[in-house]
Amino acid sequence: QVQLVESGGGLVQAGGSLRLSCAASGRTFSSYFMGWFRQAPGKEREFVATIRWSGGNIYYADSVKGRFTISRDNAKNTVYLQMNSLKPEDTAVYYCAMSSRAYSNNYYYTRTYDYWGQGTQVAVSS
């Protein structure tokens, strides 16, 4: 099994920054890709960003493009989400996810991912 543990959430004022981390452990795959999703109260879980573990194929939701940056550290089995210029509408629980496939064009669908973390809360005050 794969375990994903997110950290780095918290309360920040609008315009501030946070960096989320997602540490992966357990069974690993020779190639896979990771994603960040978020879920605000009363809303569906939505795609934020994705990165292929081997590098490349980095995509963002339009709502975070230019403000968020996804990256990974293979040596630490960790994926990061650097969030800058935060807005109140970024408030949500943020989840990282892993797909056991090398890649999928359906990276924005939750069903594409096989493993999920428990989530970390991000709150942005106005």
Side-chain angles (χ1 to χ4, degrees), residues 51-121:
I51 185 169
R52 198 168 178 178
W53 200 252
S54 59
N57 294 108
I58 294 176
Y59 300 105
Y60 299 95
D62 288 343
S63 58
V64 306
K65 202 172 295 183
R67 301 188 297 122
F68 290 12
T69 303
I70 190 171
S71 62
R72 84 276 185 263
D73 184 333
N74 290 0
K76 295 182 179 180
N77 285 335
T78 300
V79 174
Y80 303 97
L81 185 68
Q82 177 66 44
M83 306 186 296
N84 298 329
S85 302
L86 283 162
K87 304 175 181 180
E89 51 263 43
D90 294 318
T91 295
V93 177
Y94 283 70
Y95 298 90
C96 74
M98 175 189 289
S99 173
S100 57
R101 282 167 278 187
Y103 184 66
S104 171
N105 287 325
N106 296 322
Y107 54 80
Y108 42 85
Y109 288 125
T110 57
R111 65 175 182 261
T112 300
Y113 298 82
D114 304 296
Y115 305 97
W116 292 83
Q118 82 289 349
T120 185
Q121 176 72 53

Side-chain angles (χ1 to χ4, degrees), residues 3 9 11-12 14-15 26 36 44-48 59 66 71 89 92 96-97 100 108 116 121:
Q3 292 80 41
L11 174 63
V12 64
W36 282 99
E44 292 188 354
R45 194 169 297 188
E46 65 175 6
F47 168 76
V48 175
Y59 300 105
S71 62
E89 51 263 43
C96 74
S100 57
Y108 42 85
W116 292 83
Q121 176 72 53

